[in-house]
Amino acid sequence: DAGITQSPRHKVTETGTPVTLRCHQTENHRYMYWYRQDPGHGLRLIHYSYGVKDTDKGEVSDGYSVSRSKTEDFLLTLESATSSQTSVYFCAISESSYTDTQYFGPGTRLTVL
Amino acid sequence: LAKTTQPISMDSYEGQEVNITCSHNNIATNDYITWYQQFPSQGPRFIIQGYKTKVTNEVASLFIPADRKSSTLSLPRVSLSDTAVYYCLVITSGTYKYIFGTGTRLKVLA
């Protein structure tokens, strides 16, 4: 399996609290992605990064920000968590080309009360 | 970006061949078709990718007709461990954005 870890794996927080999720890879892949998965919606792309300090929005980016200061780390921040952001968050990586396989991390289950 | 449509669920019995068809009517010339498998509490895992005709690997085959408006994932002789959700994706040239649909929930029965 690709070397991808996510932390924390589980988190419970309260509405209005800032939350940061971390994705760490040991594959030196250029591209990193954050998805959320909710029942009835499959996986939806939040943000992605195509290099250090290079990021772009996905289809559900409102309320989220990202940062990538090193190749191996991609952070997802919920500035002020809301109950609608309760979800399972997956990080993924890919090497270079758009046709390259995306490898997914184990996921983070976030509950916003 | 091409949208995909798949059956919501399918049941099969151990040892049977399972075919899951995905519709992608507005696929573009340079788009690739990719399938992922997801088990509960895990991230999706790559199964197979193709552009046209037929692709086969050690776990599955992918059939793509000439018009490329659909594709069929074929799983030979399924076992209970193949119970999972299967996603069809169309990867659009020039972007790195994967659009996952809601997937097909396959249940393999003993």
Side-chain angles (χ1 to χ4, degrees), chain A residues 6-55:
Chain A
Q6 294 184 229
S7 58
R9 294 293 313 279
H10 301 271
K11 186 172 182 65
V12 179
T13 191
E14 294 187 350
T15 298
T17 303
V19 176
T20 296
L21 308 182
R22 180 182 183 236
C23 177
H24 179 78
Q25 61 145 329
T26 58
E27 306 296 323
N28 200 34
H29 282 2
R30 179 180 175 188
Y31 292 88
M32 300 185 75
Y33 312 78
W34 277 108
Y35 293 87
R36 60 177 290 174
Q37 185 169 38
D38 306 289
H41 290 280
L43 285 95
R44 293 179 290 175
L45 182 65
I46 304 171
H47 282 280
Y48 69 101
S49 169
Y50 46 97
V52 173
K53 293 185 170 32
D54 293 323
T55 65

Side-chain angles (χ1 to χ4, degrees), chain B residues 86-107:
Chain B
Y86 292 82
Y87 293 96
C88 163
L89 292 81
V90 172
I91 313 303
T92 297
S93 174
T95 79
Y96 300 86
K97 300 181 180 181
Y98 279 23
I99 305 297
F100 283 80
T102 53
T104 298
R105 188 172 300 275
L106 172 65
K107 185 174 183 180

Side-chain angles (χ1 to χ4, degrees), chain B residues 12-13 15-20 35 37 47-48 57 59-63 72-79 82-84 86 106 108:
Chain B
S12 181
Y13 288 94
Q16 290 188 333
E17 178 184 76
V18 171
N19 295 309
I20 305 174
W35 286 80
Q37 175 192 57
I47 302 174
I48 197 166
N57 62 23
V59 298
S61 295
L62 178 60
F63 299 92
T72 298
L73 174 72
S74 180
L75 303 173
R77 299 178 297 281
V78 295
S79 64
D82 293 316
T83 294
Y86 292 82
L106 172 65
V108 179

